[in-house]
Amino acid sequence: MKNNIVRYIFVIAAIGLIAYAVYYVYHNDGEIIENDEEVVSQEEEDGEESLRIGISNLDTLNPLISKNQNVQDISKFIYEPLFDVTSDFKLENCLGTEISKVDATTYLINTRENVKWHNGEPFVVDDVKYTIEMIKSLGDNSIYISNVSMINNVEIVGNNTLKIYLNEETPFFEYNLTFPIICKSFFSTDDIASSDRNNLQMGTGRYKLYSVDVNSQIDLIKNEEWWNKEAVDLRIDNIVIRVYGTVAELYNAYKLGGLDMVNSRGINIENNIGTIGANSQQGFGRDFDYLVLNCGSNILSNMEVRQAIGYAINRDEIINSVYAGKYKAGDFPLSYGSYLYTENPEAKSFNQEKAKQILQDGGWTLSGKVWQKKVGYSTIRLRINLVVQSENANRVNVANIIKSNLEGIGIPVTVNSVKQASFDSYMKNKNYDMILTGVSVGISPNLSRYLSGGNLANFNNEEVNEILNDVKNISDEATLLEKYNRLQAIYETERPYVGLYFSSRTYVYNKNLTITGNNSWFNIYDDIENWHKRN
């Protein structure tokens, strides 16, 4: 009997202990759950907004070594450069507050004070020097190597001042200083190319990393210590970046409602994901295709022929037939949205009657089906060769449309579709009448590629050379615009090139997300402070 009583007492005591433990755990867990519920309620009360975007084929979150365009896009939430560019490609201060050109190859830069890295450490001028040195050491492993390749040395000359010495004069060098600055102390002695910290980085930007799972999801929250928070009111509080193995998986996640927006440089994104219940916008991409008219050739040395070709080409037909209507017509290399370009619809208009009239006014006569002109004792007949790279199917199609357009006004064209090696040889030796090519434009307004000595069109104009030399040392925006208006006018009159189109970037997003569209290919989230998400 005694044994049973003891046994009962032991059981009752054990039950009591268990009950207390359950109460203790429940009580404490209940507090946590209660706090979570309060946070959710607070989010709803405060109207906190989360933006859900995606990334595919993630390589690394370190923007200095990532080759993933998605990473470069989202890195602008986290990191900041010395100087940034606006949506119309004006340079503006960021971590740098002033830049002055001491001489042709020396620049003095002041950096911003009272800026903190996301871990609370102060941003210092040595972080800039370190970033430049790291990019140079990475070489071709960094997409920013071309930004710093001309830099010979970086010297710290004050607490917030550094000097940059170049190997050679570089027009608009300040536009090169738009790469993200990273924290020297964060990496310490790590090899940046293989550091375990590459996916745990911190910046000085408006958002900071909150949690990272490179196989699943990356969470960003507003940086409450951001140096510019008083001037910029961010309505998006949190950014959820979901990670996918392929673009197809990312698109599928959007279709299933897991993302608020997707963007693509391709022309078929809307076909892949549909637009029912969604909005879409198109902006300029950075790929610019153009037709080079060799001013040194026997036929195209005649300016009126180059002008006629410009009016005879139907850009809309090219864009609709080859690029599903998605690309953007563009004639001038800066017509992707630069403030230094002045819109001139006439320059890219399709007017074959005007093209014929220009030829007639230039002394050409249409004999049978061929234009001809008497020069001295010789008669020149208007026949043109057009070189295009055969491996680029889209450009071959474009070349054939150009051929059809020009033959529509009586200019016979022979399309010479050649392999890459032969195409490169043509480009090097400039032994063509016309050649169809393209370039990925930069953010700098430097037009030397097209108009200075050695250009593909063999174009030379003394006034243009003087302007190109002048603008190297002009920082005043109004004066620059005046100079560039003159450059544009000469370009449109002399017609060394026929600009055709820019690639596009398409944004598809939920109807509950409001975006302004005031962004550029350089920063698709440039004006995120004006974005708003309705619940």
Side-chain angles (χ1 to χ4, degrees), residues 112-235:
R112 192 174 297 279
E113 299 182 62
N114 302 316
V115 175
K116 294 180 181 179
W117 293 100
H118 291 159
N119 67 351
E121 290 186 16
F123 159 74
V124 293
V125 69
D126 198 30
D127 293 317
V128 179
K129 178 177 168 65
Y130 171 77
T131 301
I132 293 172
E133 291 172 347
M134 286 301 98
I135 295 173
K136 288 180 72 70
S137 71
L138 288 166
D140 291 337
N141 290 321
S142 175
I143 67 168
Y144 295 106
I145 185 60
S146 60
N147 291 60
V148 302
S149 59
M150 73 294 294
I151 295 178
N152 181 51
N153 186 37
V154 179
E155 178 186 359
I156 296 176
V157 295
N159 290 337
N160 295 93
T161 309
L162 71 157
K163 269 187 179 179
I164 294 182
Y165 301 89
L166 308 184
N167 293 316
E168 58 184 7
E169 186 173 19
T170 302
F172 298 98
F173 167 71
E174 55 271 25
Y175 276 84
N176 288 43
L177 302 176
T178 51
F179 50 83
I181 303 300
I182 62 174
C183 180
K184 178 180 180 179
S185 64
F186 181 75
F187 282 98
S188 185
T189 58
D190 283 11
D191 178 2
I192 194 171
S194 58
S195 174
D196 292 336
R197 305 191 121 201
N198 280 330
N199 290 326
L200 300 171
Q201 285 206 63
M202 60 181 180
T204 59
R206 60 191 72 187
Y207 291 94
K208 64 181 182 179
L209 291 172
Y210 177 72
S211 64
V212 178
D213 181 344
V214 294
N215 297 309
S216 176
Q217 183 167 302
I218 301 158
D219 294 304
L220 307 181
I221 59 174
K222 278 200 293 192
N223 175 16
E224 299 298 341
E225 299 296 319
W226 186 39
W227 60 269
N228 204 28
K229 66 173 292 188
E230 298 302 322
V232 179
D233 182 21
L234 296 171
R235 300 179 71 176

Side-chain angles (χ1 to χ4, degrees), residues 19 27 38 61 99 103 105 127 130 180 185 226 273 277 326 334 339-340 374 411 420 484 507:
H27 176 72
E38 287 178 358
L61 288 178
I99 181 168
D103 56 44
T105 58
D127 293 317
Y130 171 77
S185 64
W226 186 39
I273 65 176
K326 302 296 185 183
L334 299 182
Y339 80 101
L340 293 174
K374 197 155 183 76
I411 302 179
Q420 181 70 59
Y484 270 80
Y507 311 82

Side-chain angles (χ1 to χ4, degrees), residues 289 323 388-398 417-418 420 436 501:
D289 276 12
Y323 297 104
V388 64
Q389 181 190 343
S390 60
E391 292 93 339
N392 191 320
N394 284 339
R395 284 189 186 154
V396 171
N397 291 335
V398 171
S417 180
V418 299
Q420 181 70 59
L436 179 58
Y501 47 78

